[in-house]
Amino acid sequence: MGPRRGWEGAVLRLLRAKDFVLTVTAAEDVTPSYRRVHVRDGGLLAATGVHPTMWVRLWFANAGRPHQRAYTLVDPDPATGCFALEFALHDGCASDWARAAKPGDTIEATVQGTGFEHPEDAPSHLYAVADPASLPALNSLLDTLGAADATIWFEGDLKGLPCRARTSRHELRQVPRRDAGGLLVERVRSELPDLVAKTPHPYVWIACDTATTRTLASYVRKELAVPRARVHALGYWQPTAAAGSASSPADGDRWTAPGADGVRRGGE
């Protein structure tokens, strides 16, 4: 059994969260800073079902204290009870666990809060704002909305990363991280309005650091007047006070409870 879960665990128990134990079957370095860990699910997929961009909470020991972060399921297969988890590596106990993970290792997982609502009208075009932290979820979304064309603003370097964008119908616009996400905000604000105006059924998906996500979600909903039901915004990690730096830019750094704006705040 892992570390005692403190108040976070108590809240999840009240919410009737479901607990499972995952077992590592393999691990591989996709790049020196991006690692994939394959696991058996301990009955998770059979008990909960599967939906696009599905994520689970993993529990890590951090100097004797519980530390939970959420990670997107990669290629979940209910028939075999297996899936993978991808880690954009940085400093912290979650990445330390991923670096050392080997077959036979176990980790506790909790399912609570994950969900996906298909837009009532199928998107005629997807507009996504993502970064390495949300790449596994972006890939899941692209698989789900396979028939829709997409324009993707990606903050950071995609070289070597497992991006499932297809050049035949997905346009990638890479943006370097500058000014604590300020350049990304500037690019989206200057380029998105004309695109949305030409799209009968747009779907806007924003998943980057919490501050940038909140800024862009507010802009899209209020200034571009995209209906709330056609905007999904979720903060994946939280910058430190130092401009442009990150406390935990990895898939999984979503906090335990959603804020009023639907953004889960996270950070090591």
Side-chain angles (χ1 to χ4, degrees), residues 139-211:
N139 285 335
S140 176
L141 184 68
L142 293 176
D143 289 344
T144 300
L145 304 179
D149 291 340
T151 302
I152 303 162
W153 290 265
F154 191 90
E155 186 180 47
D157 188 2
L158 265 172
K159 185 178 180 179
L161 297 183
C163 181
R164 296 183 183 179
R166 300 179 181 179
T167 55
S168 59
R169 62 175 182 269
H170 301 149
E171 180 190 1
L172 272 170
R173 302 184 179 191
Q174 293 193 65
V175 183
R177 181 164 177 83
R178 295 178 186 165
D179 302 325
L183 179 60
L184 180 63
V185 171
E186 179 183 331
R187 284 281 303 274
V188 173
R189 288 178 64 103
S190 66
E191 298 169 12
L192 182 58
D194 287 345
L195 297 173
V196 167
K198 301 173 184 176
T199 306
H201 301 296
Y203 184 65
V204 183
W205 190 86
I206 306 167
C208 37
D209 75 81
T210 54

Side-chain angles (χ1 to χ4, degrees), residues 8-256:
E8 293 178 322
V11 170
L12 289 169
R13 284 194 299 274
L14 289 173
L15 295 173
R16 298 187 177 182
K18 297 179 180 179
D19 294 322
F20 303 89
V21 177
L22 311 181
T23 303
V24 176
T25 60
E28 57 186 308
D29 291 323
V30 179
T31 74
S33 59
Y34 200 91
R35 187 163 171 83
R36 182 181 296 120
V37 178
H38 300 265
V39 299
R40 287 195 302 270
D41 71 351
L44 186 154
L45 298 177
T48 65
V50 179
H51 61 76
T53 71
M54 182 175 177
W55 51 270
V56 297
R57 304 166 190 268
L58 302 184
W59 293 89
F60 305 93
N62 186 22
R65 301 179 62 185
H67 181 88
Q68 68 91 11
R69 288 295 178 260
Y71 286 80
T72 302
L73 276 58
V74 177
D75 297 329
D77 184 355
T80 62
C82 294
F83 56 87
L85 303 161
E86 292 178 349
F87 296 76
L89 300 174
H90 57 95
D91 294 330
C93 60
S95 290
D96 289 345
W97 180 87
R99 289 186 183 97
K102 62 185 183 302
D105 288 352
T106 60
I107 189 164
E108 295 179 18
T110 299
V111 178
Q112 197 284 322
T114 184
F116 183 84
E117 294 185 11
H118 288 271
E120 185 173 338
D121 293 312
S124 53
H125 200 105
L126 166 68
Y127 300 102
V129 186
D131 63 15
S134 57
L135 179 58
L138 173 65
N139 285 335
S140 176
L141 184 68
L142 293 176
D143 289 344
T144 300
L145 304 179
D149 291 340
T151 302
I152 303 162
W153 290 265
F154 191 90
E155 186 180 47
D157 188 2
L158 265 172
K159 185 178 180 179
L161 297 183
C163 181
R164 296 183 183 179
R166 300 179 181 179
T167 55
S168 59
R169 62 175 182 269
H170 301 149
E171 180 190 1
L172 272 170
R173 302 184 179 191
Q174 293 193 65
V175 183
R177 181 164 177 83
R178 295 178 186 165
D179 302 325
L183 179 60
L184 180 63
V185 171
E186 179 183 331
R187 284 281 303 274
V188 173
R189 288 178 64 103
S190 66
E191 298 169 12
L192 182 58
D194 287 345
L195 297 173
V196 167
K198 301 173 184 176
T199 306
H201 301 296
Y203 184 65
V204 183
W205 190 86
I206 306 167
C208 37
D209 75 81
T210 54
T212 300
T213 298
R214 194 177 301 113
T215 297
L216 288 176
S218 177
Y219 169 72
V220 170
R221 289 168 177 153
K222 295 179 180 179
E223 297 189 39
L224 298 187
V226 177
R228 181 173 291 270
R230 305 198 69 82
V231 180
H232 173 90
L234 184 66
Y236 271 59
W237 57 278
Q238 182 171 323
T240 62
S245 63
S247 59
S248 46
D251 182 56
D253 290 316
R254 309 181 202 111
W255 196 51
T256 56

